[in-house]
């Protein structure tokens, strides 16, 4: 699976998801949880290679250089 989100590129939780994984979305609790075993997540984390693909446009490169992760507000 090719996942090009900024969170995935730095090794965040999205990078560990694969096509077909089940997730639980709870709108009231404002949460999303993956429904796979913790051991499987650890295995994926251990064997994962996190790399950012080359920028396709100058604007994409500028965005990558200036915008932070969502956990810190996703701000410039």
């Amino acid at each position: 699976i090719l996942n090009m989100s900024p969170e995935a590129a730095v090794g965040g939780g999205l990078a560990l998801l694969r096509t077909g994984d089940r997730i639980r979305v709870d709108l009231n609790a404002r949460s999303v949880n993956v429904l796979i075993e913790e051991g499987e997540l650890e295995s994926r984390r251990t064997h994962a290679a996190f790399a950012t693909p080359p920028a396709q446009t100058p604007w994409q490169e500028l965005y990558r250089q200036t915008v932070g992760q969502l956990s810190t507000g996703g701000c410039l």
Side-chain angles (χ1 to χ4, degrees), residues 3-57:
N3 193 327
M4 297 179 61
S5 74
E7 181 184 339
V10 297
L14 288 177
L16 303 177
L17 292 179
R18 294 185 182 158
T19 301
D21 284 347
R22 295 181 59 209
I23 60 171
R24 176 182 298 129
V25 178
D26 185 336
L27 297 178
N28 292 323
R30 298 179 181 177
S31 67
V32 178
N33 297 293
V34 63
L35 302 176
I36 61 175
E37 297 293 326
E38 188 61 37
E40 173 64 19
L41 280 177
E42 277 305 313
S43 176
R44 291 181 187 185
R45 191 173 285 115
T46 301
H47 296 98
F50 303 112
T52 303
Q56 297 171 335
T57 67

Side-chain angles (χ1 to χ4, degrees), residues 41-73:
L41 280 177
E42 277 305 313
S43 176
R44 291 181 187 185
R45 191 173 285 115
T46 301
H47 296 98
F50 303 112
T52 303
Q56 297 171 335
T57 67
W59 294 111
Q60 189 179 45
E61 184 63 28
L62 180 62
Y63 175 85
R64 289 178 179 174
Q65 291 173 359
T66 57
V67 175
Q69 295 297 307
L70 288 176
S71 62
T72 59

